[in-house]
Amino acid sequence: MDNPFSYTAISKSKAVARLARGELVILPTETVYGLAADATNADAVLKIFATKKRPRFNPLICHCANLEMAAEIGVFGEAARVLAATFWPGPLTLVLERANGKTIPDLVTAGLNTIALRVPAHDLTTQIISDLGRPVAAPSANFSGALSATSAKTAFVALGANIPVVDGGACDRGLESTIIALSETNPILLRPGALARDEIEAVLGDKLATPGPDGPITAPGMLASHYAPRASLRLNAGAPEPGESWLGFGPEPGRPGAALNLSPTGDMAEAARNLFEYLRHLDEKSPATIAVASIPETAIGEAINDRLRRAAAPRNLG
Ligand code: AMP
Ligand code: MG
């Protein structure tokens, strides 16, 4: 490879064959592109950690073709069944107690007795998982801690490891899944994501608790610094200062220099779709700082702001 303008795209059937042989492929989902391996094959899963330079204490989400496949590896209570029936396929990850049996190696769950599960809403990928007949572990296709990839080419280039990609177009949502823990008594929002908290609360008829930094539940992968471009970020900015690049949101005057707007009309879904690609684009010009306009905290704004805060966090913590 080494031509950053090209990428190796493969067919569905080639992807299934690679996964079955214990090799990695990059798969499209509605959230972000995933670096996928057969979740039942520890050697294959190890390649994910090595390729992403991902700390082993950070567990992976198992992507299933449907609820039946998920129910073989996680214990579904009433709330989990209702949420899965309502939101799957879709950007909701459920953290459940692990089912008995040893089909999923401990490496996937980082040794926890819980497992993170979802059914992605992308036909190519659900067909690949279905043909493989086993779940795939698939964290985002980028180096650990860096910006997520929301297009086939970006994912291929971001990993720089010549891992073939199934091209499913630009990601519909552009933000990672919302993660809910249901293994404890109260449902807990472990990570805000592409499915807004209030949609989940409406179905549960219950508020989602948010774990405090010292709370009893910690999501092992919730590092303070994540999704980080090389530039530093200045959040909730009113306007760019001299020398800063600018990432705007909503109607605003024309900006000089390197400037992009996540959604000139203030559409949150559009802003989520553009977030990682626009940050990456601005970062490519190597500014010292990217100033980012303030974004409302409502609906998926909670997840957009979560990503921006982690992208802005000091880098030596994680
Ligand atoms: P990623 O695939 O990197 O988008 O993130 C997956 C995230 O899911 C990890 O960072 C973990 O924090 C979270 N996760 C996965 N499995 C578990 C689990 N069993 N318990 C709590 N959190 C989990
Ligand atoms: Mg990631």
Side-chain angles (χ1 to χ4, degrees):
M1 70 146 217
D2 292 324
N3 174 358
F5 302 105
S6 69
Y7 57 99
T8 308
I10 55 169
S11 65
K12 246 179 10 180
S13 57
K14 286 222 165 94
V16 175
R18 277 184 68 92
L19 289 165
R21 286 198 302 270
E23 289 171 1
L24 303 180
V25 287
I26 298 171
L27 295 180
T29 80
E30 82 282 30
T31 59
V32 300
Y33 271 73
L35 178 62
D38 175 352
T40 67
N41 179 337
D43 290 335
V45 171
L46 257 180
K47 293 179 190 169
I48 293 180
F49 285 93
T51 305
K52 276 182 62 79
K53 303 185 178 39
R54 181 172 171 113
R56 295 260 206 104
F57 61 78
N58 192 355
L60 304 175
I61 297 171
C62 288
H63 293 67
C64 300
N66 47 44
L67 174 59
E68 290 65 45
M69 188 182 274
E72 287 173 18
I73 52 177
V75 179
F76 281 72
E78 180 59 21
R81 278 195 185 277
V82 171
L83 288 176
T86 311
F87 295 115
W88 283 359
L92 175 67
T93 295
L94 301 175
V95 172
L96 306 175
E97 223 175 279
R98 290 174 75 168
N100 288 329
K102 269 281 164 200
T103 54
I104 303 296
D106 285 345
L107 189 59
V108 171
T109 62
L112 299 170
N113 56 7
T114 52
I115 188 163
L117 299 167
R118 92 175 184 100
V119 176
H122 198 298
D123 287 348
L124 279 174
T125 290
T126 45
Q127 284 164 23
I128 287 167
I129 300 168
S130 171
D131 289 354
L132 180 69
R134 300 189 283 277
V136 301
S140 54
N142 50 265
F143 289 130
S144 185
L147 293 169
S148 304
T150 57
S151 75
K153 185 179 123 183
T154 303
F156 182 82
V157 174
L159 285 167
N162 211 7
I163 295 164
V165 52
V166 175
D167 191 345
C171 298
D172 214 32
R173 303 288 193 136
L175 274 185
E176 291 78 3
S177 60
T178 304
I179 305 182
I180 305 292
L182 288 170
S183 53
E184 303 282 315
T185 40
N186 299 324
I188 297 170
L189 179 66
L190 292 178
R191 174 177 76 183
L195 183 65
R197 167 204 289 270
D198 46 0
E199 287 192 54
I200 300 165
E201 290 176 342
V203 170
L204 281 175
D206 199 359
K207 289 279 176 206
L208 288 166
T210 312
D214 307 315
I217 287 255
T218 48
M222 300 291 114
L223 304 174
S225 171
H226 211 81
Y227 316 107
R230 285 166 302 176
S232 61
L233 252 56
R234 186 167 69 84
L235 303 184
N236 300 312
E241 312 221 316
E244 286 182 339
S245 294
W246 174 251
L247 188 58
F249 174 80
E252 58 176 6
R255 303 286 188 193
L260 289 171
N261 189 310
L262 287 170
S263 170
T265 60
D267 177 333
M268 301 290 256
E270 183 184 24
R273 254 194 317 272
N274 289 333
L275 179 68
F276 287 122
E277 210 67 22
Y278 282 14
L279 277 173
R280 193 180 291 277
H281 198 75
L282 292 173
D283 203 34
E284 272 162 12
K285 304 202 172 75
S286 303
T289 303
I290 302 169
V292 187
S294 97
I295 291 165
E297 189 71 23
T298 48
I300 54 169
E302 184 179 11
I304 296 175
N305 285 311
D306 169 81
R307 303 303 185 268
L308 286 170
R309 277 192 291 273
R310 288 180 208 278
R315 307 288 157 80
N316 57 358
L317 294 180

